[in-house]
Amino acid sequence: MFVTAAASTAPLSADDWPEGNAVVRLVASAERASPSQPTLVGIRFDIRPGWHIYWRNPGGAGVATEIRWRLPNGVTAGETLWPVPIAFVQSGDIPGYGYEDEVVLAAELEGSPLASDAVVGASVSWLACKDVCVLGSAELETRWSEVSNDPVFAHWQSMLPASWSDDNAPFSVTTTGGLAGGSLTLWLRWRHSPGEVEWFPDPPEGLVVEDVSISTRGGLSRIDASVRKMAGAAGEFATLPSVVAVTDQHRERRGWSLAVDLTDDNS
């Protein structure tokens, strides 16, 4: 059942949460007042304690959260910017990727600057799960001048994964195996011993990634996974988009977007 969640900033008691188990509202980055900085508009999700919603790849089960923007003529929204997710185990030991408690999913506005009286809107849908799953939706719309500069926006901007390169990441990558052999291994060599290492595959439609395992010893992490092409899937798959995340001893998390080679001649 789809429900409409009203925007709210007040704390909710256990009995006050809407049926979708999340409250959503429009937010903007503080940089919108600076012509030299990109303007970001986002949806803030306050998620019922104990529940989760899903990343762009929900994992073995679930539904990706979706935002459809409604903007004035001459203004468009770029792709959704997804902060580093968390991993959780669902019923039946099925892996899942998503968010708990709070998250902001944003997009960069492109085109003409928005006037203060311009109307900004979005259709938002998500799946919230705990012991059961409930679909939720919201129709949001307001004038641009009334979209708040939410202080949590900056935190979630800092959780966006950086593009991996040898220059900006604290690890190098070697890949063995690939799609033809049905298995893939990533070797991450860290410049300093890492904390908790996570890997979030984001396979395109038609590619299946399963049985992910991660082990770290000293400055070396090994990530293993099975990979296969679904029967009837069109096209070829040369790379696998993914995110590597690490949580250090101070409990600070960082992430890097990494395209993994699937061609089997990568060793």
Side-chain angles (χ1 to χ4, degrees):
M1 176 177 64
F2 281 90
V3 297
T4 299
S8 174
T9 59
L12 297 177
S13 69
D15 297 327
D16 288 338
W17 288 88
E19 290 183 51
N21 294 293
V23 175
V24 299
R25 59 189 175 97
L26 289 161
V27 292
S29 60
E31 290 81 4
R32 67 174 171 177
S34 172
S36 64
Q37 296 292 328
T39 298
L40 299 178
V41 62
I43 305 296
R44 173 172 170 169
F45 293 79
D46 289 291
I47 306 162
R48 187 172 185 171
W51 293 71
H52 59 256
I53 63 173
Y54 289 91
W55 188 49
R56 63 189 178 205
N57 170 25
V63 177
T65 303
E66 184 176 30
I67 301 170
R68 296 184 180 181
W69 293 101
R70 296 189 302 275
L71 301 167
N73 291 337
V75 183
T76 58
E79 294 185 358
T80 300
L81 303 174
W82 298 87
V84 176
I86 62 170
F88 40 78
V89 178
Q90 305 176 93
S91 177
D93 293 329
I94 299 174
Y97 310 131
Y99 307 99
E100 296 177 346
D101 299 324
E102 175 191 271
V103 70
V104 173
L105 301 183
E108 183 176 338
L109 294 183
E110 302 167 351
S112 305
L114 280 171
S116 61
D117 62 348
V119 175
V120 176
S123 298
V124 189
S125 61
W126 66 91
L127 181 68
C129 295
K130 187 181 179 184
D131 301 320
V132 297
C133 293
V134 179
L135 284 165
S137 71
E139 296 293 333
L140 304 178
E141 190 170 274
T142 189
R143 295 186 184 279
W144 183 232
S145 60
E146 297 173 355
V147 178
S148 64
N149 294 339
D150 197 311
V152 305
F153 209 113
H155 166 72
W156 290 106
Q157 282 181 263
S158 73
M159 290 300 299
L160 297 175
S163 296
W164 177 87
S165 73
D166 279 326
D167 296 330
N168 74 353
F171 61 92
S172 61
V173 182
T174 302
T175 306
T176 57
L179 188 56
S183 64
L184 182 70
T185 300
L186 282 68
W187 300 92
L188 310 182
R189 295 187 179 275
W190 298 85
R191 295 183 176 88
H192 304 284
S193 294
E196 179 185 0
V197 177
E198 299 169 282
W199 183 61
F200 301 95
D202 184 23
E205 185 176 357
L207 185 66
V208 178
V209 180
E210 298 174 310
D211 304 322
V212 176
S213 64
I214 304 173
S215 60
T216 297
R217 184 172 182 178
L220 182 65
S221 295
R222 174 175 176 167
I223 303 171
D224 292 291
S226 63
V227 291
R228 61 181 173 85
K229 185 176 179 178
M230 295 179 65
E236 299 298 323
F237 302 102
T239 59
L240 167 63
S242 67
V243 171
V244 173
V246 63
T247 303
D248 65 20
Q249 59 182 347
H250 303 295
R251 304 307 299 168
E252 294 183 358
R253 297 181 82 220
R254 292 183 294 164
W256 295 266
S257 297
L258 178 67
V260 181
D261 189 356
L262 294 177
T263 58
D264 285 89
D265 59 358
N266 41 47
S267 57

Tab-separated table of all heavy atoms in Angstrom, residues 66-112:
chain	number	residue	atom	x	y	z
A	66	GLU	N	13.452	5.814	-4.948
A	66	GLU	CA	13.327	6.549	-6.214
A	66	GLU	C	12.830	7.972	-5.974
A	66	GLU	O	11.934	8.196	-5.159
A	66	GLU	CB	12.369	5.824	-7.157
A	66	GLU	CG	12.259	6.469	-8.524
A	66	GLU	CD	11.377	5.691	-9.481
A	66	GLU	OE1	10.423	5.008	-9.014
A	66	GLU	OE2	11.624	5.759	-10.693
A	67	ILE	N	13.442	8.913	-6.699
A	67	ILE	CA	13.038	10.320	-6.647
A	67	ILE	C	12.830	10.805	-8.072
A	67	ILE	O	13.715	10.667	-8.923
A	67	ILE	CB	14.110	11.194	-5.962
A	67	ILE	CG1	14.368	10.712	-4.531
A	67	ILE	CG2	13.692	12.670	-5.966
A	67	ILE	CD1	15.574	11.368	-3.890
A	68	ARG	N	11.660	11.389	-8.323
A	68	ARG	CA	11.368	12.006	-9.613
A	68	ARG	C	11.091	13.482	-9.383
A	68	ARG	O	10.092	13.843	-8.759
A	68	ARG	CB	10.172	11.319	-10.284
A	68	ARG	CG	10.436	9.851	-10.639
A	68	ARG	CD	9.262	9.241	-11.375
A	68	ARG	NE	9.508	7.847	-11.722
A	68	ARG	CZ	8.662	7.072	-12.383
A	68	ARG	NH1	7.472	7.571	-12.761
A	68	ARG	NH2	8.948	5.816	-12.652
A	69	TRP	N	11.997	14.321	-9.900
A	69	TRP	CA	11.920	15.752	-9.640
A	69	TRP	C	10.948	16.439	-10.591
A	69	TRP	O	10.806	16.056	-11.750
A	69	TRP	CB	13.304	16.391	-9.784
A	69	TRP	CG	14.262	15.934	-8.730
A	69	TRP	CD1	15.255	14.987	-8.862
A	69	TRP	CD2	14.307	16.383	-7.386
A	69	TRP	NE1	15.902	14.827	-7.676
A	69	TRP	CE2	15.347	15.671	-6.746
A	69	TRP	CE3	13.574	17.319	-6.650
A	69	TRP	CZ2	15.678	15.866	-5.408
A	69	TRP	CZ3	13.888	17.516	-5.325
A	69	TRP	CH2	14.939	16.798	-4.712
A	70	ARG	N	10.279	17.469	-10.089
A	70	ARG	CA	9.444	18.360	-10.895
A	70	ARG	C	10.001	19.773	-10.732
A	70	ARG	O	9.932	20.358	-9.641
A	70	ARG	CB	7.984	18.300	-10.448
A	70	ARG	CG	7.342	16.934	-10.640
A	70	ARG	CD	5.831	16.992	-10.396
A	70	ARG	NE	5.512	17.474	-9.053
A	70	ARG	CZ	5.471	16.695	-7.976
A	70	ARG	NH1	5.756	15.408	-8.077
A	70	ARG	NH2	5.158	17.202	-6.787
A	71	LEU	N	10.570	20.292	-11.823
A	71	LEU	CA	11.273	21.568	-11.771
A	71	LEU	C	10.778	22.485	-12.885
A	71	LEU	O	10.231	22.020	-13.883
A	71	LEU	CB	12.783	21.330	-11.919
A	71	LEU	CG	13.421	20.428	-10.858
A	71	LEU	CD1	14.815	20.023	-11.282
A	71	LEU	CD2	13.454	21.144	-9.510
A	72	PRO	N	10.989	23.802	-12.731
A	72	PRO	CA	10.544	24.742	-13.764
A	72	PRO	C	11.269	24.505	-15.094
A	72	PRO	O	12.345	23.893	-15.141
A	72	PRO	CB	10.910	26.110	-13.169
A	72	PRO	CG	11.066	25.873	-11.705
A	72	PRO	CD	11.567	24.476	-11.568
A	73	ASN	N	10.695	24.996	-16.178
A	73	ASN	CA	11.342	24.914	-17.484
A	73	ASN	C	12.727	25.551	-17.427
A	73	ASN	O	12.919	26.600	-16.811
A	73	ASN	CB	10.491	25.622	-18.545
A	73	ASN	CG	9.205	24.878	-18.838
A	73	ASN	OD1	9.111	23.668	-18.608
A	73	ASN	ND2	8.213	25.597	-19.349
A	74	GLY	N	13.681	24.900	-18.062
A	74	GLY	CA	15.042	25.410	-18.085
A	74	GLY	C	15.911	24.927	-16.950
A	74	GLY	O	17.096	25.270	-16.883
A	75	VAL	N	15.330	24.142	-16.031
A	75	VAL	CA	16.089	23.606	-14.898
A	75	VAL	C	15.929	22.086	-14.893
A	75	VAL	O	14.824	21.563	-15.019
A	75	VAL	CB	15.595	24.178	-13.558
A	75	VAL	CG1	16.453	23.656	-12.404
A	75	VAL	CG2	15.611	25.694	-13.582
A	76	THR	N	17.037	21.387	-14.758
A	76	THR	CA	17.001	19.929	-14.667
A	76	THR	C	17.816	19.485	-13.462
A	76	THR	O	18.675	20.218	-12.964
A	76	THR	CB	17.575	19.259	-15.935
A	76	THR	OG1	18.925	19.702	-16.133
A	76	THR	CG2	16.742	19.615	-17.160
A	77	ALA	N	17.546	18.271	-13.008
A	77	ALA	CA	18.300	17.673	-11.899
A	77	ALA	C	19.206	16.583	-12.448
A	77	ALA	O	18.802	15.780	-13.299
A	77	ALA	CB	17.344	17.087	-10.860
A	78	GLY	N	20.438	16.567	-11.992
A	78	GLY	CA	21.359	15.517	-12.392
A	78	GLY	C	21.000	14.187	-11.735
A	78	GLY	O	19.950	14.045	-11.102
A	79	GLU	N	21.884	13.220	-11.893
A	79	GLU	CA	21.656	11.906	-11.300
A	79	GLU	C	21.637	11.991	-9.781
A	79	GLU	O	22.281	12.860	-9.178
A	79	GLU	CB	22.749	10.932	-11.745
A	79	GLU	CG	22.730	10.616	-13.236
A	79	GLU	CD	23.752	9.574	-13.590
A	79	GLU	OE1	24.506	9.127	-12.680
A	79	GLU	OE2	23.831	9.185	-14.773
A	80	THR	N	20.884	11.097	-9.170
A	80	THR	CA	20.839	11.041	-7.712
A	80	THR	C	22.227	10.735	-7.159
A	80	THR	O	22.933	9.855	-7.648
A	80	THR	CB	19.849	9.956	-7.243
A	80	THR	OG1	18.543	10.278	-7.737
A	80	THR	CG2	19.811	9.872	-5.723
A	81	LEU	N	22.619	11.490	-6.144
A	81	LEU	CA	23.901	11.299	-5.464
A	81	LEU	C	23.654	10.427	-4.234
A	81	LEU	O	22.943	10.832	-3.319
A	81	LEU	CB	24.492	12.651	-5.070
A	81	LEU	CG	24.705	13.635	-6.229
A	81	LEU	CD1	25.143	14.990	-5.708
A	81	LEU	CD2	25.717	13.090	-7.228
A	82	TRP	N	24.248	9.247	-4.233
A	82	TRP	CA	23.987	8.259	-3.186
A	82	TRP	C	25.136	8.218	-2.190
A	82	TRP	O	26.254	7.835	-2.546
A	82	TRP	CB	23.829	6.874	-3.811
A	82	TRP	CG	22.675	6.741	-4.755
A	82	TRP	CD1	22.670	7.031	-6.093
A	82	TRP	CD2	21.355	6.275	-4.439
A	82	TRP	NE1	21.431	6.771	-6.631
A	82	TRP	CE2	20.609	6.310	-5.645
A	82	TRP	CE3	20.748	5.823	-3.262
A	82	TRP	CZ2	19.277	5.908	-5.696
A	82	TRP	CZ3	19.426	5.429	-3.320
A	82	TRP	CH2	18.698	5.474	-4.518
A	83	PRO	N	24.913	8.590	-0.936
A	83	PRO	CA	25.957	8.420	0.076
A	83	PRO	C	26.307	6.939	0.251
A	83	PRO	O	25.544	6.043	-0.142
A	83	PRO	CB	25.311	8.987	1.351
A	83	PRO	CG	24.214	9.878	0.860
A	83	PRO	CD	23.711	9.251	-0.396
A	84	VAL	N	27.473	6.687	0.835
A	84	VAL	CA	27.879	5.313	1.116
A	84	VAL	C	26.801	4.640	1.966
A	84	VAL	O	26.404	5.166	3.006
A	84	VAL	CB	29.226	5.294	1.859
A	84	VAL	CG1	29.612	3.860	2.234
A	84	VAL	CG2	30.313	5.930	0.994
A	85	PRO	N	26.304	3.479	1.540
A	85	PRO	CA	25.245	2.815	2.302
A	85	PRO	C	25.811	2.007	3.456
A	85	PRO	O	27.032	1.975	3.690
A	85	PRO	CB	24.606	1.899	1.256
A	85	PRO	CG	25.754	1.510	0.381
A	85	PRO	CD	26.637	2.735	0.316
A	86	ILE	N	24.919	1.341	4.172
A	86	ILE	CA	25.318	0.342	5.148
A	86	ILE	C	24.837	-1.010	4.640
A	86	ILE	O	23.958	-1.101	3.781
A	86	ILE	CB	24.745	0.615	6.551
A	86	ILE	CG1	23.202	0.574	6.528
A	86	ILE	CG2	25.240	1.952	7.092
A	86	ILE	CD1	22.569	0.600	7.899
A	87	ALA	N	25.414	-2.076	5.166
A	87	ALA	CA	24.998	-3.432	4.825
A	87	ALA	C	24.206	-4.016	5.986
A	87	ALA	O	24.495	-3.737	7.154
A	87	ALA	CB	26.216	-4.306	4.525
A	88	PHE	N	23.213	-4.810	5.660
A	88	PHE	CA	22.444	-5.506	6.694
A	88	PHE	C	22.036	-6.871	6.144
A	88	PHE	O	22.077	-7.111	4.931
A	88	PHE	CB	21.219	-4.700	7.126
A	88	PHE	CG	20.498	-3.998	6.014
A	88	PHE	CD1	19.647	-4.685	5.159
A	88	PHE	CD2	20.671	-2.634	5.804
A	88	PHE	CE1	18.995	-4.043	4.131
A	88	PHE	CE2	20.008	-1.982	4.768
A	88	PHE	CZ	19.166	-2.683	3.932
A	89	VAL	N	21.689	-7.771	7.053
A	89	VAL	CA	21.256	-9.114	6.676
A	89	VAL	C	19.751	-9.189	6.859
A	89	VAL	O	19.227	-8.883	7.931
A	89	VAL	CB	21.959	-10.198	7.511
A	89	VAL	CG1	21.459	-11.588	7.122
A	89	VAL	CG2	23.470	-10.105	7.321
A	90	GLN	N	19.054	-9.588	5.801
A	90	GLN	CA	17.605	-9.664	5.822
A	90	GLN	C	17.147	-11.097	6.097
A	90	GLN	O	17.955	-12.020	6.193
A	90	GLN	CB	17.061	-9.166	4.482
A	90	GLN	CG	17.570	-7.762	4.126
A	90	GLN	CD	17.128	-7.304	2.763
A	90	GLN	OE1	16.107	-6.654	2.618
A	90	GLN	NE2	17.910	-7.637	1.744
A	91	SER	N	15.850	-11.265	6.213
A	91	SER	CA	15.275	-12.579	6.455
A	91	SER	C	15.768	-13.571	5.413
A	91	SER	O	15.843	-13.250	4.219
A	91	SER	CB	13.746	-12.485	6.411
A	91	SER	OG	13.154	-13.751	6.562
A	92	GLY	N	16.141	-14.768	5.879
A	92	GLY	CA	16.684	-15.777	4.986
A	92	GLY	C	18.149	-15.582	4.686
A	92	GLY	O	18.667	-16.134	3.711
A	93	ASP	N	18.835	-14.772	5.525
A	93	ASP	CA	20.263	-14.483	5.347
A	93	ASP	C	20.550	-13.818	4.003
A	93	ASP	O	21.608	-14.033	3.393
A	93	ASP	CB	21.100	-15.750	5.497
A	93	ASP	CG	21.087	-16.294	6.914
A	93	ASP	OD1	20.967	-15.469	7.846
A	93	ASP	OD2	21.172	-17.521	7.093
A	94	ILE	N	19.622	-13.006	3.518
A	94	ILE	CA	19.790	-12.297	2.256
A	94	ILE	C	20.462	-10.953	2.522
A	94	ILE	O	19.996	-10.184	3.358
A	94	ILE	CB	18.427	-12.078	1.572
A	94	ILE	CG1	17.771	-13.426	1.254
A	94	ILE	CG2	18.584	-11.251	0.298
A	94	ILE	CD1	16.361	-13.304	0.721
A	95	PRO	N	21.573	-10.651	1.832
A	95	PRO	CA	22.243	-9.367	2.055
A	95	PRO	C	21.439	-8.209	1.496
A	95	PRO	O	20.761	-8.339	0.457
A	95	PRO	CB	23.573	-9.528	1.314
A	95	PRO	CG	23.280	-10.530	0.233
A	95	PRO	CD	22.277	-11.468	0.827
A	96	GLY	N	21.490	-7.077	2.180
A	96	GLY	CA	20.825	-5.874	1.711
A	96	GLY	C	21.702	-4.661	1.928
A	96	GLY	O	22.584	-4.657	2.793
A	97	TYR	N	21.471	-3.609	1.132
A	97	TYR	CA	22.248	-2.371	1.216
A	97	TYR	C	21.283	-1.191	1.281
A	97	TYR	O	20.333	-1.115	0.492
A	97	TYR	CB	23.156	-2.211	-0.009
A	97	TYR	CG	23.996	-3.412	-0.335
A	97	TYR	CD1	24.040	-3.918	-1.641
A	97	TYR	CD2	24.754	-4.048	0.648
A	97	TYR	CE1	24.820	-5.015	-1.960
A	97	TYR	CE2	25.535	-5.157	0.347
A	97	TYR	CZ	25.568	-5.639	-0.965
A	97	TYR	OH	26.335	-6.742	-1.275
A	98	GLY	N	21.524	-0.289	2.219
A	98	GLY	CA	20.617	0.847	2.327
A	98	GLY	C	20.986	1.797	3.435
A	98	GLY	O	22.171	2.010	3.723
A	99	TYR	N	19.965	2.343	4.095
A	99	TYR	CA	20.165	3.384	5.092
A	99	TYR	C	19.225	3.182	6.266
A	99	TYR	O	18.089	2.733	6.099
A	99	TYR	CB	19.918	4.765	4.474
A	99	TYR	CG	20.716	5.014	3.218
A	99	TYR	CD1	20.137	4.851	1.964
A	99	TYR	CD2	22.050	5.390	3.297
A	99	TYR	CE1	20.875	5.061	0.814
A	99	TYR	CE2	22.801	5.606	2.153
A	99	TYR	CZ	22.214	5.444	0.907
A	99	TYR	OH	22.948	5.640	-0.237
A	100	GLU	N	19.698	3.557	7.431
A	100	GLU	CA	18.900	3.566	8.648
A	100	GLU	C	18.936	4.956	9.271
A	100	GLU	O	19.853	5.736	9.019
A	100	GLU	CB	19.435	2.539	9.663
A	100	GLU	CG	19.331	1.096	9.203
A	100	GLU	CD	19.944	0.121	10.208
A	100	GLU	OE1	20.679	0.591	11.116
A	100	GLU	OE2	19.711	-1.092	10.082
A	101	ASP	N	17.933	5.259	10.072
A	101	ASP	CA	17.864	6.484	10.873
A	101	ASP	C	17.652	7.747	10.038
A	101	ASP	O	16.648	8.431	10.187
A	101	ASP	CB	19.100	6.644	11.767
A	101	ASP	CG	19.244	5.495	12.755
A	101	ASP	OD1	18.203	4.997	13.242
A	101	ASP	OD2	20.382	5.080	13.027
A	102	GLU	N	18.618	8.068	9.162
A	102	GLU	CA	18.538	9.337	8.446
A	102	GLU	C	19.447	9.292	7.232
A	102	GLU	O	20.517	8.709	7.268
A	102	GLU	CB	18.974	10.464	9.379
A	102	GLU	CG	19.053	11.847	8.764
A	102	GLU	CD	19.743	12.809	9.725
A	102	GLU	OE1	19.044	13.417	10.543
A	102	GLU	OE2	20.990	12.926	9.648
A	103	VAL	N	19.000	9.910	6.136
A	103	VAL	CA	19.848	10.068	4.959
A	103	VAL	C	19.290	11.199	4.114
A	103	VAL	O	18.094	11.502	4.162
A	103	VAL	CB	19.938	8.757	4.135
A	103	VAL	CG1	18.605	8.439	3.444
A	103	VAL	CG2	21.071	8.821	3.115
A	104	VAL	N	20.169	11.850	3.334
A	104	VAL	CA	19.757	12.827	2.335
A	104	VAL	C	20.207	12.312	0.975
A	104	VAL	O	21.398	12.042	0.761
A	104	VAL	CB	20.362	14.226	2.597
A	104	VAL	CG1	20.041	15.166	1.434
A	104	VAL	CG2	19.827	14.796	3.900
A	105	LEU	N	19.264	12.158	0.058
A	105	LEU	CA	19.552	11.806	-1.333
A	105	LEU	C	19.364	13.067	-2.161
A	105	LEU	O	18.274	13.645	-2.178
A	105	LEU	CB	18.630	10.689	-1.823
A	105	LEU	CG	18.679	9.377	-1.039
A	105	LEU	CD1	17.761	8.339	-1.678
A	105	LEU	CD2	20.104	8.833	-0.957
A	106	ALA	N	20.410	13.501	-2.841
A	106	ALA	CA	20.420	14.812	-3.475
A	106	ALA	C	20.741	14.698	-4.964
A	106	ALA	O	21.156	13.649	-5.466
A	106	ALA	CB	21.430	15.722	-2.791
A	107	ALA	N	20.556	15.821	-5.656
A	107	ALA	CA	20.919	15.943	-7.063
A	107	ALA	C	21.371	17.376	-7.308
A	107	ALA	O	20.918	18.309	-6.636
A	107	ALA	CB	19.752	15.588	-7.972
A	108	GLU	N	22.262	17.541	-8.274
A	108	GLU	CA	22.732	18.871	-8.633
A	108	GLU	C	21.788	19.493	-9.645
A	108	GLU	O	21.409	18.859	-10.637
A	108	GLU	CB	24.143	18.798	-9.212
A	108	GLU	CG	24.747	20.148	-9.547
A	108	GLU	CD	26.181	20.062	-10.036
A	108	GLU	OE1	26.846	19.045	-9.727
A	108	GLU	OE2	26.625	21.007	-10.720
A	109	LEU	N	21.390	20.736	-9.383
A	109	LEU	CA	20.524	21.453	-10.311
A	109	LEU	C	21.355	22.043	-11.439
A	109	LEU	O	22.421	22.629	-11.217
A	109	LEU	CB	19.769	22.565	-9.582
A	109	LEU	CG	18.751	22.114	-8.533
A	109	LEU	CD1	18.034	23.318	-7.940
A	109	LEU	CD2	17.731	21.144	-9.135
A	110	GLU	N	20.861	21.870	-12.652
A	110	GLU	CA	21.559	22.350	-13.838
A	110	GLU	C	20.637	23.252	-14.641
A	110	GLU	O	19.416	23.070	-14.643
A	110	GLU	CB	22.009	21.151	-14.690
A	110	GLU	CG	22.915	20.180	-13.928
A	110	GLU	CD	23.102	18.870	-14.655
A	110	GLU	OE1	22.394	18.641	-15.663
A	110	GLU	OE2	23.951	18.070	-14.233
A	111	GLY	N	21.213	24.238	-15.311
A	111	GLY	CA	20.409	25.148	-16.128
A	111	GLY	C	20.247	26.495	-15.468
A	111	GLY	O	21.108	26.954	-14.710
A	112	SER	N	19.127	27.130	-15.731
A	112	SER	CA	18.884	28.480	-15.230
A	112	SER	C	18.778	28.487	-13.714
A	112	SER	O	18.238	27.540	-13.120
A	112	SER	CB	17.587	29.034	-15.824
A	112	SER	OG	17.622	28.991	-17.233
